[in-house]
Amino acid sequence: MLGRTYRPENYGIVLSSGSPLKEEIDQVLLKFRVDGTYDDLLSKWFGNIYSPI
């Protein structure tokens, strides 16, 4: 029997051309990757994806 399968997928956020939100969103997403928030969210919602169950 196989354990859970986690397949990472990439998603995007679509904004209208010239949106003033683009820079702020880019900065927040980068900060989340650097400070560990992104990994914390993955663990919270998907568990420990690196260990078979």
Side-chain angles (χ1 to χ4, degrees):
M1 181 180 282
L2 296 175
R4 282 190 301 181
T5 301
Y6 174 75
R7 188 181 78 217
E9 295 188 21
N10 294 310
Y11 294 93
I13 298 172
V14 178
L15 303 168
S16 58
S17 182
S19 172
L21 298 175
K22 182 189 180 310
E23 184 65 27
E24 184 176 356
I25 290 171
D26 287 349
Q27 292 300 317
V28 169
L29 292 174
L30 178 59
K31 177 183 175 286
F32 281 2
R33 291 303 297 252
V34 170
D35 73 9
T37 300
Y38 180 84
D39 291 330
D40 291 344
L41 289 169
L42 277 181
S43 292
K44 177 181 179 179
W45 294 104
F46 299 105
N48 188 348
I49 62 173
Y50 302 108
S51 299
I53 291 179

